[in-house]
Amino acid sequence: MKKLLLLLFLIPNIVMAETWVCSYLMNGEIQTSTFKRLSDKKFLTMFGSKDKIYYEDDKSITLTHTDGYIGFSATILDKKHKKFITTDTTRVSKSGLKDSYTVYQWKGDCEVVE
């Protein structure tokens, strides 16, 4: 029994805690976004969304989030240079006749903590 417990403690955790704290300029002010790894499939963002890991390798992590037909966002976390870029598309209804989409983009530097 003791050997089994020792073996379990020696096996490294496959999903390590990882939080990206990223900063960018918006209207001349520094803003911060956080991305916390929940599992090998999801990150939690500071807005409470659970972004899916679309792709990951030793150089980058690509996250995606959809909100029905209303919006879509994609984030790339650059592991080597500790940078990020997020693009967000939001549906805006105009007078109920036609829909248009607004695209927002943020990019900046990150620090990985935990």
Side-chain angles (χ1 to χ4, degrees):
M1 182 68 173
K2 288 180 184 179
K3 289 181 182 180
L4 180 60
L5 281 174
L6 180 61
L7 182 63
L8 289 174
F9 286 120
L10 293 176
I11 296 173
N13 189 354
I14 294 174
V15 178
M16 302 299 287
E18 175 182 2
T19 301
W20 288 67
V21 180
C22 304
S23 300
Y24 56 96
L25 281 176
M26 179 186 275
N27 301 325
E29 294 185 26
I30 296 174
Q31 304 293 323
T32 303
S33 290
T34 58
F35 305 90
K36 183 178 178 95
R37 186 184 290 268
L38 295 176
S39 68
D40 62 343
K41 296 181 182 181
K42 291 189 180 191
F43 270 76
L44 178 66
T45 71
M46 64 180 284
F47 302 110
S49 69
K50 293 180 181 173
D51 291 15
K52 293 179 184 177
I53 298 175
Y54 177 76
Y55 178 79
E56 181 174 11
D57 62 14
D58 60 332
K59 296 177 185 170
S60 68
I61 304 168
T62 302
L63 308 174
T64 60
H65 177 76
T66 58
D67 191 12
Y69 65 93
I70 295 173
F72 172 83
S73 69
T75 299
I76 298 173
L77 303 171
D78 183 335
K79 292 180 179 181
K80 182 178 179 182
H81 300 100
K82 301 294 187 260
K83 294 190 178 287
F84 89 109
I85 184 166
T86 296
T87 301
D88 182 81
T89 304
T90 304
R91 180 177 168 261
V92 181
S93 179
K94 291 186 174 184
S95 309
L97 300 174
K98 290 186 176 180
D99 292 335
S100 67
Y101 292 86
T102 302
V103 177
Y104 301 97
Q105 187 179 77
W106 304 271
K107 59 183 174 179
D109 298 318
C110 300
E111 185 175 328
V112 180
V113 296
E114 290 186 24

